[in-house]
Structures are given as structure tokens and as C-alpha cells.
Amino acid sequence: MAAHFQSFNRRQFIKGISLALGTTALGAPLLGFGSGNKTYGEKEKDWGLQGNAQKKKLGVALVGLGNYSTNQLAPALQETEHCYLAGIVTGTPSKAETLKKKYNLPDKNIYTYETMEQVANNPDIDVLYIVLPNGLHAEYTIKAANAGKNVICEKPMATSVEDCQRMIDACKKNKVHLSIGYRLHFEPHHQRIMELGQKKVYGDVKKIEAADSFVIGNPDVWRLDKKLAGGGPLMDLGIYCVQGAIYTMGESPVAITARFGKVTKPKFFNEVEETISWQMHFTNRAVADCRSSYNEEGNLLYGEAEKGWWRLQPAYSYSGLKGKTSEGAMDFPQVNQQARQLDGIAQNIREGTESRVPGEMGMRDVRILMAIYEAARTGKRVSLG
Ligand code: NAD
């Protein structure tokens, strides 16, 4: 009986994956808006691909060559099927030189922040991927859209809801595609959790626990600068807990309660929070209890339903995810999350279909992050209309 149950779930899961990689996303109902991956109108279909480019591998230029671009995205773009590393935008000539040699990039595809807008005239570049500090996401996404290029923007989408709206508007106006770098939507353990929760495989979800934290070792980084980061661990790490809770439930929370933790290292945490814990309250009375800190370790997504439970720990790492359910170990491969994400988004752009991780989802999450801060500041329950 248990074996049959498992194989049924596995079949369902595989179906889910193939749907997710095609034009209908498993993630569609969790957006809570729009109709999933609808095809856009004929007029909008070109997605800044400059004519006949729809059939080729898309050229991606990374904007900002920090840790994530250099160590994750650039290598992932060597493994992708539907896109490749075509160019870079950087303020540091030595980084440009290193990547140019390593990935054989032509000089004409290497830009500085000042020259980036000239990319408008470069048919090699179809997508600009914004991998800058959070406070710069809006400015560079809007510049990229105005240059007629499709955009992938890293999480969190921006540091205010107003900026998110401006980014969405700029992409709509220029008829380009906008996605957020939510890699876990393309990862099999997380896709299984979406299915367990949203399809109520073990009945109604009653409880979620999520934590994402690490110890920050250096006080002089943009992540501790309010203007550049928008906030502390909540913006950087807690967003994964918010995402995890929402895609487990398949809907947004209706209210938030929260509180800030103690500041134990005032030299580090004089602009942003050191630790924050919060609860996301859902319509069926399920509660997601979440926590994020820059001064402890944490990496968990747990869910409990009427007839079973699941636990991912570590949950948010680039590899080595470990999952268990009340029926036993989760047996899924470790994948190159960034390569899958890039390929999934590139396919959407080429096919003219809606992203599985669109700007609207990024804005929904920033709205929730802001509500969490408001609840922690005021000590009051904040309703999300
Ligand atoms: P990083 O500090 O390693 O890199 C930031 C880059 O921005 C550097 O190249 C820096 O030179 C450049 N930069 C340009 N203007 C700057 C300014 N005014 N101040 C500071 N730096 C400036 O950071 P990172 O870890 O690569 O993060 C970049 C973005 O990627 C962030 O939004 C972060 O949230 C996101 N990120 C996402 C993931 C993920 O798993 N999706 C992982 C890591 C980072």
C-alpha cells in the first residue's frame, strides 16, 4: 500500500516536473494572480529578441560580477541548453579581464555601468541579469528594460513595493520579459514540497516552520548597509522562508505577526536587524513560524499536514539538500539549480510564455517583507488585504 502510494506520488511528481518545464507551471496556482503561463498577445510576442532570434540560444549578460555571478551564475551558464554567457557589465577592469579570458567573451560584449545602455544596439545580448546589491536592482532593471532587453533580477526584487511597481511598468512599457532569480522553483525537492502542500497529498497543511540564517563575519559589507540592502537577514535570507511558506500553501498569508531579536553585536547591526522572527497566518488557520538571522545558523523548511509531514534540511543551499517525509527519505537528484532556472526562464522568453517567477511574484514578496518589518516595529498584527 505504502509502495503504491509512493509510486503514485512519484508519477504525479514527474508529471509536475514535465509540466513545470513546459509551458504550464506546477507553480501557477501559488502565484495567486493571473492565469499561470498564458501566452502573451501577438503584439507583445517578440520579447526584445530583435526579430529572428527566437530560435537561437539566448545571450545573457551578467550585470555585477560579485560572488554570486562569478561563482554560480557564470559557471551555470556553461551548462545551460537554452542560453549562454554572452557578455558582462562591471565596474572593475580586472574582473572584466579575468572573465573575458575564462569564457572567451568578445570585447564588444563587455560593458561598464556607464556604457551598459549601449547594449540596446547589441543583438548578441537578449537578457540582462541584474546581480547587484538589492538597493540597485530597480535602477538597473529599468535601464535594462529601456534598452529593450529582457531582465532577470536577483532577489529580493527591490527595497520597496513602489520600486517593484516601477520595474514592472518599465518592462511592460518596453515589452520585455521580467523574472526574479528564485532558483528553488526549479529544484526537485522544492517542487515536491509545492506538490505535497498544494495538492494536499497528506491533507490540509496545518503548520510550517522555516529558518534561513548564517553568521556574517565582516561588518563592512553592503548587506549591513540599509540603503544598499533594504534591511538585514529578512531581505537576504528570510525571503526564502516567505517563499517556502507560500509555495507550500499555494496562497499568500492574510496576516503577519513579528518581532526583532536582540542586538548582540552593535558594531555590525546599527542599520539593519540582527535577527527577526515572524509568523505568517493563512486563511485555513495554518501558521508558518519563521526566523532569520545574521548571527546564527539555520536552514530549514518543514511542513505538517493532517496525515503526514516533510522536512528539508538543509533546504536553501545550492546543493546537498536533504529531504524526509513521514513516509521516508525524499529521493531526488541534486541539480544545478542556477542552470535549471536560467534554462526555464530562457524557454519562457523564447516561447513568449509567462515566467514561473515573474516580477509580480517578486513584488508580492517585497510587500510581505515590508509587512513583516511593520509588524516587528509596531508589535501589532498586520493584515494583508
Ligand atoms: P557581492 O557583494 O558578492 O557582489 C555585489 C557586486 O555588486 C560586486 O561585484 C560589486 O562590485 C557590485 N557593485 C556595484 N555597485 C556597488 C555598490 N554601490 N556597492 C557595493 N557593490 C556594488 O554580492 P552577491 O552575493 O553576489 O549578491 C548580489 C545580489 O545577488 C544580491 O541581490 C543578492 O541578494 C543576490 N544573491 C542571490 C543568490 C541566490 O541564491 N539567488 C545568492 C547570492 C546572492
Side-chain angles (χ1 to χ4, degrees), residues 261-277:
K262 269 205 201 118
V263 177
T264 63
K265 286 183 178 167
K267 234 180 98 188
F268 284 60
F269 302 104
N270 47 37
E271 294 194 18
V272 304
E273 78 278 4
E274 178 174 321
T275 300
I276 186 165
S277 44

Side-chain angles (χ1 to χ4, degrees), residues 314-334:
Y316 312 107
S317 314
Y318 303 143
S319 66
L321 304 196
K322 279 208 182 77
K324 238 178 148 172
T325 74
S326 39
E327 290 185 280
M330 273 187 176
D331 178 23
F332 297 119
Q334 306 293 327

Side-chain angles (χ1 to χ4, degrees), residues 73-202:
L73 297 173
L77 281 161
Q78 313 310 307
E79 292 187 25
T80 38
E81 262 177 68
H82 301 286
C83 55
Y84 72 104
L85 181 64
I88 48 178
V89 179
T90 175
T92 313
S94 60
K95 290 186 190 171
E97 203 49 41
T98 306
L99 261 80
K100 175 183 147 175
K101 284 209 186 101
K102 187 163 182 188
Y103 296 116
N104 204 15
L105 301 172
D107 283 327
K108 71 181 177 62
N109 292 358
I110 297 176
Y111 295 88
T112 64
Y113 298 115
E114 289 71 36
T115 63
M116 182 182 110
E117 279 144 305
Q118 294 169 17
V119 77
N121 306 315
N122 188 340
D124 290 358
I125 315 278
D126 303 295
V127 181
L128 286 169
Y129 193 156
I130 313 301
V131 203
L132 292 166
N134 311 338
L136 301 174
H137 289 179
E139 177 185 347
Y140 283 89
T141 292
I142 292 168
K143 279 185 182 166
N146 287 339
K149 300 299 173 181
N150 299 291
V151 188
I152 307 174
C153 176
E154 257 316 316
K155 44 58 58 178
M157 181 172 174
T159 54
S160 72
V161 175
E162 294 72 24
D163 275 354
C164 294
Q165 188 64 61
R166 292 196 302 121
M167 294 157 80
I168 290 171
D169 291 347
C171 290
K172 283 217 169 106
K173 188 177 115 213
N174 289 289
K175 298 186 178 17
V176 295
H177 204 270
L178 172 61
S179 289
I180 309 302
Y182 286 139
R183 57 186 160 82
L184 296 174
H185 283 255
F186 303 84
E187 200 286 328
H189 296 81
H190 285 266
Q191 289 176 322
R192 177 64 175 150
I193 284 183
M194 292 174 195
E195 188 175 54
L196 289 173
Q198 293 181 34
K199 293 198 175 156
K200 302 184 197 278
V201 172
Y202 299 138

Side-chain angles (χ1 to χ4, degrees), residues 200-215:
K200 302 184 197 278
V201 172
Y202 299 138
D204 266 350
V205 178
K206 296 290 181 199
K207 182 177 163 183
I208 295 168
E209 281 172 23
D212 194 7
S213 301
F214 69 78
V215 179

